[in-house]
């Protein structure tokens, strides 16, 4: 059974870059599923898909966030990472990493993804 765990700072200053890493353990690591996603839950918006990196290295982004997003992976460590630049208080929320075999990007539900991390609260504040 695959387990995911987010890590990174819980407080980021406005205009800085939010950096999170997801560590995958169990199963066959990052070979278990195909898409490795970042999702957030912000006040008033519910679940919001941010982007994902696929096992072939392809990346997909929410077009509204795309210019601010950078995704990477280190398969030797079974880790993938998110960087979100130029953050504002509107980026405050709970950030999750999640795994799926299909690309789901809009009106997402928890059941669209097979495995989830527990989530990490990120506050953008000075």
């Amino acid at each position: 059974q695959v387990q995911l765990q987010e890590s990174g700072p819980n407080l980021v200053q406005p205009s800085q870059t939010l950096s999170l890493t997801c560590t995958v353990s169990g199963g066959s690591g990052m070979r278990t599923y195909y898409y490795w996603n970042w999702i957030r839950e912000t006040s008033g918006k519910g679940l919001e898909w941010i982007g994902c990196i696929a096992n072939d290295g392809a990346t997909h982004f929410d077009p509204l966030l795309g210019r601010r997003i950078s995704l990477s992976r280190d398969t030797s460590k079974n880790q993938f990472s998110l960087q979100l630049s130029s953050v504002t208080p509107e980026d405050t929320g709970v950030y999750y990493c999640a795994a799926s075999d299909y690309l789901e990007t809009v009106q997402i539900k928890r059941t669209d993804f097979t495995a989830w991390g527990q989530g990490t609260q990120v506050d953008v504040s000075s």
Side-chain angles (χ1 to χ4, degrees):
Q1 183 176 358
V2 168
Q3 294 181 329
L4 291 79
Q5 178 66 59
E6 305 89 352
S7 60
N10 297 118
L11 180 64
V12 183
Q13 292 191 344
S15 81
Q16 300 301 304
T17 296
L18 181 162
S19 297
L20 295 174
T21 294
C22 183
T23 301
V24 181
S25 61
S28 299
M30 291 189 69
R31 296 190 303 276
T32 309
Y33 299 107
Y34 196 75
Y35 292 103
W36 301 92
N37 302 268
W38 287 100
I39 295 161
R40 68 183 182 181
E41 190 164 25
T42 58
S43 178
K45 290 188 177 181
L47 289 176
E48 180 181 11
W49 180 81
I50 298 170
C52 68
I53 188 164
N55 278 354
D56 63 359
T59 54
H60 306 271
F61 306 113
D62 178 341
L64 295 179
L65 297 173
R67 294 181 181 181
R68 299 170 52 205
I69 296 174
S70 176
L71 297 176
S72 61
R73 62 177 181 166
D74 186 340
T75 55
S76 67
K77 296 181 179 179
N78 279 314
Q79 292 179 333
F80 61 106
S81 298
L82 165 71
Q83 290 191 317
L84 181 65
S85 64
S86 304
V87 296
T88 72
E90 290 185 349
D91 293 309
T92 292
V94 180
Y95 284 73
Y96 300 92
C97 54
S100 64
D101 278 330
Y102 302 96
L103 185 59
E104 301 284 353
T105 67
V106 295
Q107 295 182 324
I108 61 171
K109 306 179 297 295
R110 285 191 173 271
T111 52
D112 290 334
F113 303 88
T114 307
W116 287 77
Q118 65 182 20
T120 185
Q121 175 70 40
V122 178
D123 292 317
V124 179
S125 174
S126 56

